[in-house]
Amino acid sequence: MREPAVEPVVGAVVGAVVGPAAEPRPTATRSLGAGGLPFAADDPVLARAAWSRLAEPADAVAGALVTHLGAPAALEWVVDAVRDPARALRGSAVEPLGSEVAADRLMEGVARWAPRLERLDPRRELRVLERLGGTLLVPGDARWPARLAALGPEEPFALWVRGDADLAALTERSVALVGARASSAYGDHVAADLAAGVADRGFAVVSGGAYGIDAAAHRGAVAGGAATLAVLAGGVDRFYPPGNQDLLRRLADGAGAVVSEVPPGSAPFKQRFLARNRIIAAVSCATVVVEAAWRSGALSTARHATRLLRPLGAVPGPVTSGTSTGCHALLRDGAAVCVTDAAEVAELAGPYDGEAAPAPHDGAPVPGRAARALSRRRMPAEVEALGERARQVWDALPARGATALDALARVAGLAPGELLAGLGALELHGLAAQEAGRWRRVRRADGGAGRTTSNG
C-alpha cells in the first residue's frame, strides 16, 4: 500500500539536495567515473527505460524522485549517491520535522537500486523489443493511458508493449475482468460470456493473461471481436504462463496487446504479479471480479480499484463454492456491487467519464498442465510465514541451481542488508543454503523438520 506522505517528503529532500527540477546537472555519464554509463542518460526515453530496470514496480520512492527531478536527472543523482552518499545529502535545508525520515528512505532506495547499476543498459532490452516488433511507451506519449496518472508516484516509468501500441485508445472504454487461476467451469463460462457481452457494447477487456478467469475473459473478448489487453508480471519476450502462449501470441499479433512495466528478460515474480494488478485496475473504467477465493490475487486488483475510487463489481457464485468466497466477501462488505450479466457490467463502467480519478493523499484444483504450473509457482507455507523480505528473496532464488550474492541482489532489487536479512531467515528455517559462496533454495523434507532437500 502506498504511503501518501512519500511524495511530498521525498520531494522536499531531493529538492533541497539537488536543486529544482528546472536546473538539472549534467548527465550521469560524467558522474560514474572513467567508465560512465554506457548509454545516453540524458535521453528521457532511455532514462525511463533504465528506471524500469533499476527499480521494482510500484517503488514509490523511485517514482517520487523521478517525478521531482525528471528521469535523467534522477538517474544522475542515484549514480552520484552510490559513489558518495554523504556528499549527495550534504547541505540539506529541509525542516527537521520529517527530513531525517525522508533522507533515510531515499538512501534505502539507493541501496536497493545500486546492485543493478553496474550492468544497467536499456539499449539491450530495446533491441530485444525491436526484434519482437514491440514499442516502448513513456508518459507524455499520446498513446500513454492517461488514467495511470492516478497511481501518483507508483505510476509505471514505461510500458513495454507488443501488439496495438495505442493503449490510450485501446483502454478508453475498457473493463477489467479478473479472477481465480484455479477457476471452476462456472467461472470460466461467466467470464467468457461477460467478455463477449461487453465486447458487443464497445468495451475492450483488460486482464492479466493468467490461467482460469483471465484466459477465459481474453478468449471471450476475442470471440466477441473486441480488443483485449493482457498485463504481464514478467517481460513481454517470455509469455507466461506457458500454457497461454498461443493466446498471448494472438493478442500480440493483432487481437489486442500484451504489456509489461518491466523490461524483456524480467522474470514473473510473485511481488510483480501483485504490483501489476494496480495497472489493470488503473487503466480500466471499472473492475469486475468474476470468481475469487479468500486468498485470490484478484482481490488485490479489487483493492486497487477501490483505492483509486473506480467502480468495482463482483459476480456471485454458489454459496457452496470455495472459488466464490472472495466475491461474496466483497459483496457482503459493500466494497463491490453485484453484477450478473454484460448489461450490468456496461452500466457499471458506462457512466465513467474516462478521466483519471484523483490519487488519494485456494480454490478448486486445476487439472493437467495448468495445475503443474501453478504448483511450481506456489510459495511454500513456511516461506509465506517469514515475512515480505524472505518472500522476495525466495522469489529471486533460482528454482534450480544456485546463484551468487551479487546476482541475487540484482534480481531481488533489495539493499544488501535487506537481502542478507531475508537469506538469514530462510537459512535459519532450513529453506535456503549456501554452498561455495552461492545460494540455493531448499525445502523441508516430508516427515522431518531437521532434514532438507534441494528444490532443484
Side-chain angles (χ1 to χ4, degrees):
M1 180 67 71
R2 180 182 62 208
E3 300 182 31
V6 167
E7 185 173 8
V9 175
V10 173
V13 172
V14 297
V17 172
V18 298
E23 301 177 6
R25 288 181 288 169
T27 70
T29 54
R30 192 185 72 177
S31 306
L32 197 58
L37 288 174
F39 60 94
D42 58 344
D43 182 318
V45 174
L46 277 179
R48 281 192 165 271
W51 272 106
S52 73
R53 170 65 73 189
L54 198 62
E56 279 296 296
D59 188 329
V61 176
L65 187 67
V66 170
T67 298
H68 183 77
L69 295 177
L75 188 60
E76 174 195 358
W77 187 88
V78 171
V79 172
D80 287 346
V82 169
R83 289 174 55 83
D84 190 347
R87 177 178 175 275
L89 290 176
R90 190 179 300 131
S92 176
V94 296
E95 293 294 327
L97 181 62
S99 62
E100 184 176 342
V101 173
D104 286 346
R105 294 200 62 183
L106 193 56
M107 297 314 294
E108 287 169 2
V110 171
R112 289 195 301 272
W113 311 323
R116 294 180 178 175
L117 263 180
E118 182 183 354
R119 300 183 183 181
L120 188 66
D121 188 353
R123 297 175 301 177
R124 291 192 303 261
E125 287 95 349
L126 287 169
R127 285 194 291 269
V128 173
L129 188 67
E130 184 179 7
R131 286 197 299 270
L132 296 171
T135 305
L136 181 73
L137 297 183
V138 298
D141 191 307
R143 299 166 295 178
W144 182 266
R147 295 193 193 102
L148 287 176
L151 293 171
E154 291 182 5
E155 183 177 13
F157 300 112
L159 292 175
W160 304 76
V161 186
R162 290 177 66 180
D164 184 355
D166 193 349
L167 299 186
L170 194 155
T171 61
E172 182 178 5
R173 279 173 55 83
S174 60
V175 173
L177 298 178
V178 298
R181 289 171 171 80
S183 56
S184 67
Y186 162 81
D188 290 344
H189 172 77
V190 172
D193 189 60
L194 290 179
V198 297
D200 289 341
R201 290 165 173 80
F203 287 89
V205 171
V206 180
S207 199
Y211 292 126
I213 298 302
D214 288 13
H218 290 307
R219 291 189 177 100
V222 172
T228 179
L229 174 66
V231 184
L232 304 185
V236 295
D237 59 325
R238 52 174 80 177
F239 290 145
Y240 184 89
N244 284 352
Q245 284 189 14
D246 290 343
L247 172 63
L248 296 172
R249 187 171 292 109
R250 185 172 182 182
L251 270 57
D253 288 344
V258 177
V259 61
S260 177
E261 65 180 312
V262 293
S266 301
F269 298 150
K270 180 177 180 179
Q271 298 304 315
R272 291 174 180 172
F273 279 106
L274 295 175
R276 67 91 189 265
N277 290 341
R278 80 194 194 285
I279 297 177
I280 295 174
V283 300
S284 306
C285 298
T287 295
V288 174
V289 183
V290 179
E291 190 175 49
W294 276 108
R295 298 183 64 187
S296 172
L299 298 183
S300 77
T301 310
R303 288 190 289 272
H304 285 299
T306 56
R307 179 168 67 98
L308 296 169
L309 308 180
R310 302 293 169 80
L312 176 65
V315 177
V319 295
T320 55
S321 173
T323 54
S324 288
T325 52
C327 292
H328 296 160
L330 291 173
L331 295 171
R332 184 176 62 251
D333 295 342
V337 300
C338 179
V339 294
T340 60
D341 58 28
E344 292 176 351
V345 175
E347 181 183 0
L348 184 70
Y352 187 71
D353 62 9
E355 295 180 0
H361 276 313
D362 257 307
V366 180
R369 186 176 184 180
R372 291 194 297 272
L374 282 171
S375 177
R376 287 195 298 270
R377 294 302 303 174
R378 188 174 294 120
M379 186 172 290
E382 309 99 295
V383 179
E384 291 278 10
L386 293 181
E388 181 182 357
R389 288 291 171 262
R391 292 195 294 268
Q392 286 180 271
V393 174
W394 173 270
D395 250 348
L397 283 167
R400 294 178 177 83
T403 185
L405 199 62
D406 58 345
L408 185 60
R410 286 193 297 272
V411 173
L414 293 174
E418 296 171 323
L419 182 70
L420 292 174
L423 281 171
L426 292 171
E427 185 179 33
L428 182 64
H429 289 79
L431 295 163
Q434 185 181 18
E435 296 176 353
R438 299 171 69 83
W439 287 87
R440 63 178 177 86
R441 291 181 182 181
V442 296
R443 291 183 187 272
R444 291 183 184 275
D446 292 339
R451 298 193 310 262
T452 59
T453 58
S454 170
N455 186 42

